[in-house]
Amino acid sequence: MIKVQIYPVTMLQTNCCYLVDEATGKAAVSDPGERSGSLEAQIDKDGGKLEYVLLTHGHYDHICYAKQLADKYGAKIVTGRHNDVFLSDTYLNGTRAHGLPFTPFGADILLEDGEVFNLGETEITYLYTPGHTSGCGVFLFDEVMLAGDLLFCESYGRTDLPSGDDDMMLRSLKRVKELDGDYTVVPGHGPLTTLSHERRFNPLMRRL
């Protein structure tokens, strides 16, 4: 089982998550778009056992502190294979358009669709879910979905940014709608929701 704590970062209030496998104390952080002193204090308090930095997609508000955080704790950067180009392309990740300082980097582990890995004793599954960008993916564990900017509470990610695609978004939303069971959905921004709620009330997902 993984304990999840959320640390909103950046002006866009990105939901940066601190994940701790309760059996082993091994930890991961998802989507660190900016440094969070309180997050790092908690990692240090827990013994600094940061194994992974997980990236749902490659926009600046989700990746800009990934390399620094990984280097500080000796963690590996993990993302989907299709997202790797966003970590080095300032046009795709939005840093050029926003005039943000950014040093390109690469991931240590590139995942394929459906690939499973472990954080401590807990299995995490990666699903490739393009639409918001061509590199988006979600992480599933313990009936929790780290959805990035695929799915929000009664909404979904915009598709008008570089590499976004309406048709891919529809296919990805249909795919997660059809997952078995229910999930607590941690979106990239905004309040938590559940997959069962979105199946009923998300205006786009209801039509799929």
Side-chain angles (χ1 to χ4, degrees):
M1 293 288 291
I2 288 176
K3 179 182 177 182
V4 181
Q5 296 173 259
I6 298 175
Y7 293 81
V9 296
T10 81
M11 291 181 64
L12 298 177
Q13 294 292 281
T14 302
N15 287 329
C16 173
C17 296
Y18 178 47
L19 316 175
V20 180
D21 176 60
E22 294 183 317
T24 63
K26 292 183 178 180
V29 168
S30 69
D31 291 355
E34 183 179 68
R35 182 178 183 271
S36 168
S38 56
L39 168 60
E40 291 188 6
Q42 187 63 55
I43 296 172
D44 292 339
K45 181 181 178 181
D46 293 342
K49 298 179 182 179
L50 192 67
E51 299 277 310
Y52 302 123
V53 175
L54 311 178
L55 304 177
T56 61
H57 66 289
H59 281 151
Y60 70 92
D61 54 314
H62 294 254
I63 69 169
C64 271
Y65 195 63
K67 178 63 172 171
Q68 297 94 317
L69 186 66
D71 285 350
K72 179 174 181 177
Y73 292 100
K76 295 184 183 301
I77 297 173
V78 182
T79 195
R81 178 172 61 85
H82 297 279
N83 192 49
D84 197 40
V85 64
F86 287 78
L87 310 184
S88 58
D89 189 317
T90 59
Y91 169 69
L92 289 176
N93 64 39
T95 54
R96 185 191 310 176
H98 289 83
L100 298 172
F102 182 76
T103 301
F105 64 95
D108 300 294
I109 299 173
L110 293 175
L111 301 171
E112 300 293 340
D113 180 41
E115 191 165 347
V116 177
F117 63 101
N118 275 61
L119 177 62
E121 296 183 2
T122 305
E123 287 190 346
I124 300 177
T125 301
Y126 173 81
L127 297 183
Y128 176 49
T129 55
H132 176 59
T133 76
S134 61
C136 284
V138 304
F139 295 94
L140 306 175
F141 56 87
D142 296 340
E143 298 182 337
V144 174
M145 178 190 298
L146 301 185
D149 287 3
L150 170 70
L151 181 61
F152 302 125
C153 183
E154 300 184 14
S155 187
Y156 55 93
R158 58 189 293 187
T159 58
D160 59 338
L161 297 171
S163 86
D165 184 275
D166 289 335
D167 289 338
M168 288 194 298
M169 175 62 78
L170 289 172
R171 289 195 293 270
S172 293
L173 287 171
K174 186 173 188 292
R175 184 182 188 188
V176 298
K177 178 181 180 178
E178 294 175 349
L179 290 171
D180 291 337
D182 196 13
Y183 288 84
T184 296
V185 177
V186 183
H189 310 268
L192 275 60
T193 183
T194 64
L195 190 54
S196 61
H197 180 90
E198 298 310 308
R199 287 170 178 143
R200 292 182 62 195
F201 298 108
N202 189 296
L204 181 56
M205 191 173 278
R206 287 177 62 184
R207 303 205 312 264
L208 298 174

